[in-house]
Amino acid sequence: MIKTYLQLLGFVCFYLSVQSVLMAQSITLSGYVRDTRTGESLIGATIFNTNQKIGTTTNTYGFYSLTMQKADTLGFVFSMVGYEPQLKKITGQNSLSLTIALAESARQLDEVRISATRNYQNVSAPQMGVIDVPMKQIKTLPAVLGERDVLKIIQLLPGVQAGQEGTTGFFVRGGNTDQNLVQLDEATVYNPNHLFGLFSTFNTNALKNVSLIKGGFPAQYGGRLSSILDISMKDGNNQKSAVSGGIGLLTSNLTIEGPLKKDKSSYIVSARRTYVDLLAKPFLGGTNYYFYDLNAKFNFWLSKKDRLFISGFTGLDNAAYTGANSLNYGINFGNNTATIRWNRQFSSKLFTNTSVILNDYHLNLSTIQNNYYAQVYSGIRDLNAKFDLEYYPNHRHKINAGVNYSDNTFFPSSTSTKIPKSGIFKVVKSDSIPRQYSTVWAFYANDEIKASDNLSLNIGLRLPTFTRSGTSYSFIEPRLNIKYSLNPTTSIKAAYTEMNQFVHLVPSSTASLPTDIWISSGPTVKPQNSRQIALGLFKNFENNAYETSVEAYYKTMQNQVLFREGTQPLLSNQLEKLLVFGNGNSYGIEFFVKKNVGKLTGWVSYTLSKTTQQFDSLNFSNPFPFTYDKRHNLSVAATYEFNKKWTFAANFVFTSGGAFTMPTGRIPVFQDGSLYDGTYSDYTTRNNYRFRPYHRLDVSAILHKPNRKFFKKNYDGEWVFGIYNLYSRRNPYFVYLATDPITKVPQAKEVSLLPIIPSVSYNFKF
């Protein structure tokens, strides 16, 4: 034992001495890359050493670090798609801190190409299953009623299934919506939707970067099984004040940003509100609906090495309906987040971030129909503290490590009952709902290693521990990504990931529960678990102007949650007793082709997949299709810059029909006091029918009006004209049973939601 210890100690000493020699022969270039006009930090900008043919990219805060061998003179190219590349030469004898400002490209029509300046990360990085969504596409591709929407664009990516017609819900590689971790400046957004899912809660004018991770998760991410949607807010213009906004058919938005102290601090405030309630009230007196969202962020350079961010978000939906047909409902839901982050650059190679995050989410929905009343309440409050570090030993290593603590409070409850003759029934109040308290600790380490010019690895380990009511779960989550380059433009990648999830969104299965409920793991409800393997081929063409990839995956999921068949919850928060647990598996192959430059840009994605679930207490223990199991999924998104004034865009979607359950018969039960009004349906198998295939074409045209005048002030304006569902395809929304008035035989009726919808909006920027 002592001999082994001495051998290990000797090896460590030898390794450290070799590293010291190498360090003495090397220098480090570090700093930040920013936008010249706004001072915004640029995420994913490329820094390339033209002498030694090595490079790196900026992190989430625009920081980079590149260690290389000393030389008399070293040349660098700083670049990012959509920006003019910048060339720099430095004396390569001493380490240097260098902040670079890049200017946006005026046009991409006749762009001069410089070797190795384009973003080659999709081929060279070991991580797979990552797609950065260009903000340009988000702002130009058509959407419902002209509302620019992040989540609508996410639905066009490979491996992502859309939810119901017109909604922003998305399902990644066979997982449910709760298996997607949606983060805004590191704060979890539990319900990223407005207007029953028609729009997302994210105002695109306040956003800087959107990235989707659907496989090969780095160790710093955890707590969800299927995807990470990482959204970063703008820091605010630290050069000059700016005002932008838009006026649409349903909403208006306004964004104000500027420096508190030029180059040192800035702010951005962005607000949006709908006026559906004002427009609909004269025509639909019993209906009232409005939503709003507000983003705010402040950032301060405390010193050359210290930076402080304070950001917040609040959003609310409120709706009520009072009908003459004895149907009444009220719904109120919203998200509130607050984030404080401190960046510290300890050296040219060590960068840290410390975050404190608050989340608050609630949903309260109640319905009255005839003599029956139902209410559901779901609330979550989180307090998170995180510490993350990034260490860059040399150009062949990038080390991430950190710790995350989360204190969570859940208060779910539901009720469904017949209204007593007195007309007085018990209403669920949030203050009276018993709380469920839990904590999560997670430690992680991740090393991105360039073993050779062809072989790179990303090796990670995450150790989460969950505790609630004396019950504790601890896991070891290995993460491995391997990349092998066949040539500079082609690589093969493989990934293995284990994930665990301690929160569950239980889908409603009866009329008594009109929405879903968040619950926590505990003694009865075990954490969800997944294991995923993936293999991909990545190839770029014409100096990375075209990106292509093929990815195949297989994923297993344990401890999935559903309500028991026919469940009618009473007034109680003990929902765990009403649940059943099962497993699922999903596999598929994804094709992706993307064009980055030129007049015509965009992508084509196609996914062939299958997802099934199996519960011992459901469907006679037989496997059944997942509700959003859609075998074929094709998306085409394109933007065409016709000239300086006109930009045209379109997207086309085709998917196979999703699965749903229909009864094979009905059984009358007289004098029954349930919500089913004395008629029970007879079901044989779960998800035994399929909707018709879904397809839709959307188009838009943008008329740019630069250098306009308003009270002697210059501003840029643009008109956005759009048509959603151009050929008015009557896509299925849901199917219900109705009794034929003549034959008295039940018949299936299909309901379509959104026909052709034209839109027009006006955007401006001072």
Side-chain angles (χ1 to χ4, degrees):
M1 185 69 179
I2 296 177
K3 182 180 179 181
T4 302
Y5 175 77
L6 292 174
Q7 289 175 339
L8 179 60
L9 182 62
F11 173 78
V12 171
C13 293
F14 173 75
Y15 176 79
L16 293 176
S17 63
V18 171
Q19 290 294 312
S20 298
V21 173
L22 294 177
M23 289 283 287
Q25 300 174 353
S26 64
I27 65 166
T28 299
L29 180 69
S30 62
Y32 294 83
V33 180
R34 303 180 186 173
D35 183 296
T36 299
R37 182 175 56 86
T38 65
E40 289 273 359
S41 300
L42 297 180
I43 302 172
T46 299
I47 299 88
F48 186 77
N49 182 335
T50 57
N51 304 75
Q52 302 173 20
K53 305 301 180 185
I54 59 176
T56 188
T57 58
T58 55
N59 68 4
T60 306
Y61 303 97
F63 175 79
Y64 71 91
S65 176
L66 182 62
T67 299
M68 67 219 86
Q69 296 299 306
K70 288 182 177 180
D72 292 334
T73 303
L74 293 172
F76 297 90
V77 178
F78 296 82
S79 65
M80 187 171 180
V81 173
Y83 288 82
E84 297 290 346
Q86 193 171 137
L87 303 167
K88 287 287 184 181
K89 286 188 176 182
I90 67 169
T91 302
Q93 295 297 321
N94 298 297
S95 294
L96 179 67
S97 178
L98 182 63
T99 295
I100 295 293
L102 299 181
E104 288 189 31
S105 300
R107 303 286 290 172
Q108 295 252 347
L109 306 187
D110 302 304
E111 187 169 329
V112 177
R113 297 181 181 178
I114 298 178
S115 178
T117 64
R118 293 208 191 283
N119 189 350
Y120 53 88
Q121 283 294 101
N122 65 306
V123 171
S124 62
Q127 190 177 349
M128 63 185 300
V130 179
I131 300 178
D132 291 318
V133 184
M135 292 302 299
K136 179 181 177 182
Q137 260 72 28
I138 295 174
K139 294 181 178 180
T140 57
L141 288 175
V144 181
L145 293 167
E147 284 293 314
R148 295 168 169 174
D149 203 310
V150 172
L151 299 187
K152 285 289 195 300
I153 306 304
I154 294 297
Q155 294 175 351
L156 302 176
L157 299 178
V160 181
Q161 303 276 13
Q164 289 181 302
E165 164 79 65
T167 67
T168 56
F170 65 102
F171 304 81
V172 179
R173 291 185 172 178
N176 209 339
T177 53
D178 66 321
Q179 296 176 7
N180 304 316
L181 178 60
V182 181
Q183 290 187 324
L184 180 65
D185 274 2
E186 299 187 36
T188 301
V189 180
Y190 284 95
N191 187 351
N193 301 300
H194 281 313
L195 201 60
F196 300 113
L198 200 61
F199 306 132
S200 78
T201 58
F202 304 115
N203 186 347
T204 57
N205 288 337
L207 306 183
K208 176 169 63 175
N209 186 76
V210 179
S211 181
L212 177 70
I213 305 175
K214 56 184 178 176
F217 301 94
Q220 57 263 40
Y221 293 107
R224 296 296 191 275
L225 303 190
S226 293
S227 77
I228 310 295
L229 183 59
D230 197 355
I231 302 175
S232 299
M233 288 175 55
K234 290 180 180 178
D235 300 332
N237 193 321
N238 66 16
Q239 300 299 304
K240 64 178 183 179
S241 297
V243 178
S244 60
I247 302 172
L249 295 178
L250 289 182
T251 68
S252 290
N253 64 82
L254 183 68
T255 300
I256 303 173
E257 57 182 317
L260 297 170
K261 185 177 181 181
K262 191 174 181 179
D263 290 324
K264 296 295 184 181
S265 58
S266 63
Y267 72 92
I268 181 171
V269 178
S270 186
R272 178 175 58 164
R273 193 196 192 277
T274 184
Y275 24 78
V276 175
D277 51 336
L278 304 178
L279 295 176
K281 197 168 184 178
F283 307 100
L284 303 172
T287 300
N288 183 55
Y289 195 110
Y290 70 87
F291 71 76
Y292 67 81
D293 49 60
L294 175 67
N295 298 75
K297 188 172 184 178
F298 302 86
N299 91 91
F300 308 87
W301 284 96
L302 305 179
S303 69
K304 290 184 178 180
K305 295 185 177 182
D306 295 273
R307 195 174 183 185
L308 181 68
F309 299 88
I310 302 173
S311 57
F313 166 80
T314 182
L316 180 72
D317 282 61
N318 191 80
Y321 175 77
T322 303
N325 59 351
S326 300
L327 173 65
N328 300 273
Y329 74 80
I331 184 170
N332 181 285
F333 64 91
N335 302 273
N336 296 284
T337 72
T339 305
I340 299 176
R341 291 178 291 175
W342 169 42
N343 291 173
R344 171 68 176 172
Q345 182 186 342
F346 282 94
S347 69
S348 61
K349 296 186 178 186
L350 180 60
F351 180 91
T352 66
N353 177 66
T354 304
S355 303
V356 177
I357 306 162
L358 295 172
N359 301 317
D360 189 298
Y361 167 72
H362 77 276
L363 181 146
N364 188 0
L365 189 149
S366 59
T367 61
I368 299 176
Q369 185 172 14
N370 297 322
N371 296 321
Y372 301 98
Y373 171 79
Q375 183 182 7
V376 59
Y377 190 94
S378 184
I380 307 173
R381 291 173 188 164
D382 297 338
L383 171 62
N384 297 290
K386 299 170 60 179
F387 175 77
D388 304 282
L389 67 84
E390 297 178 10
Y391 181 60
Y392 304 80
N394 53 59
H395 75 279
R396 293 186 177 275
H397 281 268
K398 177 186 175 182
I399 298 173
N400 294 79
V403 58
N404 183 9
Y405 170 78
S406 179
D407 186 277
N408 311 302
T409 304
F410 289 77
F411 34 109
S413 185
S414 66
T415 181
S416 59
T417 182
K418 188 173 182 178
I419 299 175
K421 294 181 180 180
S422 64
I424 300 174
F425 49 88
K426 190 172 183 179
V427 177
V428 178
K429 295 183 178 180
S430 60
D431 294 339
S432 64
I433 301 173
R435 268 51 172 171
Q436 301 175 356
Y437 299 100
S438 62
T439 60
V440 179
W441 282 94
F443 300 87
Y444 77 88
N446 200 90
D447 190 1
E448 186 174 317
I449 307 168
K450 188 175 182 181
S452 68
D453 291 340
N454 295 328
L455 180 63
S456 296
L457 302 95
N458 196 317
I459 303 173
L461 188 67
R462 187 177 180 89
L463 305 172
T465 297
F466 170 89
T467 303
R468 175 193 161 200
S469 302
T471 301
S472 181
Y473 299 100
S474 296
F475 299 97
I476 299 176
E477 298 178 352
R479 316 285 175 85
L480 176 63
N481 288 265
I482 302 174
K483 184 270 302 182
Y484 185 80
S485 297
L486 302 178
N487 56 55
T489 63
T490 311
S491 65
I492 297 174
K493 301 182 185 181
Y496 175 78
T497 307
E498 289 192 22
M499 305 284 277
N500 291 278
Q501 180 172 326
F502 305 108
V503 295
H504 311 257
L505 186 65
V506 185
S508 60
S509 60
T510 74
S512 62
L513 283 175
T515 189
D516 301 338
I517 300 176
W518 286 96
I519 63 172
S520 171
S521 294
T524 304
V525 183
K526 295 182 179 180
Q528 300 183 62
N529 170 269
S530 74
R531 293 179 175 87
Q532 182 179 167
I533 57 174
L535 180 67
L537 174 66
F538 298 79
K539 173 71 176 177
N540 286 7
F541 298 91
E542 296 188 18
N543 194 31
N544 301 308
Y546 293 87
E547 300 177 11
T548 66
S549 64
V550 180
E551 294 186 49
Y553 71 91
Y554 179 81
K555 180 168 68 172
T556 60
M557 296 165 282
Q558 290 76 43
N559 301 323
Q560 306 297 284
V561 179
L562 290 173
F563 279 115
R564 296 183 185 277
E565 296 285 13
T567 295
Q568 299 181 55
L570 302 176
L571 182 56
S572 170
N573 76 316
Q574 300 297 319
L575 297 176
E576 292 95 333
K577 298 178 180 179
L578 309 175
L579 304 177
V580 293
F581 307 95
N583 301 323
N585 66 75
S586 179
Y587 54 90
I589 185 167
E590 304 164 359
F591 300 86
F592 189 54
V593 179
K594 182 182 178 185
K595 186 174 185 291
N596 292 316
V597 296
K599 286 188 174 184
L600 178 66
T601 58
W603 65 81
V604 178
S605 75
Y606 170 72
T607 304
L608 175 66
S609 62
K610 183 178 181 180
T611 304
T612 59
Q613 295 180 314
Q614 186 172 13
F615 288 68
D616 291 340
S617 302
L618 299 177
N619 204 49
F620 307 103
S621 301
N622 296 319
F624 55 88
F626 178 53
T627 301
Y628 294 97
D629 170 47
K630 302 174 182 178
R631 195 76 68 247
H632 303 279
N633 192 337
L634 172 68
S635 298
V636 182
T639 299
Y640 183 73
E641 296 186 23
F642 182 71
N643 54 36
K644 292 182 179 180
K645 287 188 175 182
W646 286 98
T647 299
F648 300 97
N651 52 255
F652 174 77
V653 177
F654 174 90
T655 66
S656 302
F660 69 99
T661 305
M662 288 290 286
T664 57
R666 288 181 171 184
I667 303 173
V669 180
F670 299 102
Q671 297 180 345
D672 182 78
S674 77
L675 288 176
Y676 299 102
D677 252 350
T679 301
Y680 284 85
S681 297
D682 180 25
Y683 295 89
T684 54
T685 58
R686 193 178 182 93
N687 287 344
N688 52 347
Y689 286 88
R690 293 271 181 177
F691 290 112
R692 291 183 296 114
Y694 178 101
H695 53 87
R696 188 191 78 244
L697 174 65
D698 310 326
V699 296
S700 68
I702 302 175
L703 175 59
H704 304 278
K705 293 281 190 177
N707 300 320
R708 315 303 287 178
K709 288 285 186 180
F710 183 78
F711 288 102
K712 298 182 181 181
K713 294 284 187 180
N714 290 328
Y715 77 96
D716 295 332
E718 64 178 26
W719 286 97
V720 182
F721 307 94
I723 301 178
Y724 179 89
N725 196 1
L726 179 64
Y727 50 85
S728 200
R729 160 77 173 179
R730 306 299 290 177
N731 286 301
Y733 185 65
F734 67 87
V735 173
Y736 69 97
L737 282 180
T739 303
D740 188 281
I742 299 176
T743 64
K744 306 300 181 182
V745 176
Q747 292 181 338
K749 300 287 185 179
E750 183 182 85
V751 175
S752 297
L753 181 64
L754 299 178
I756 181 173
I757 302 177
S759 64
V760 60
S761 59
Y762 185 74
N763 300 315
F764 57 87
K765 186 172 185 179
F766 287 89

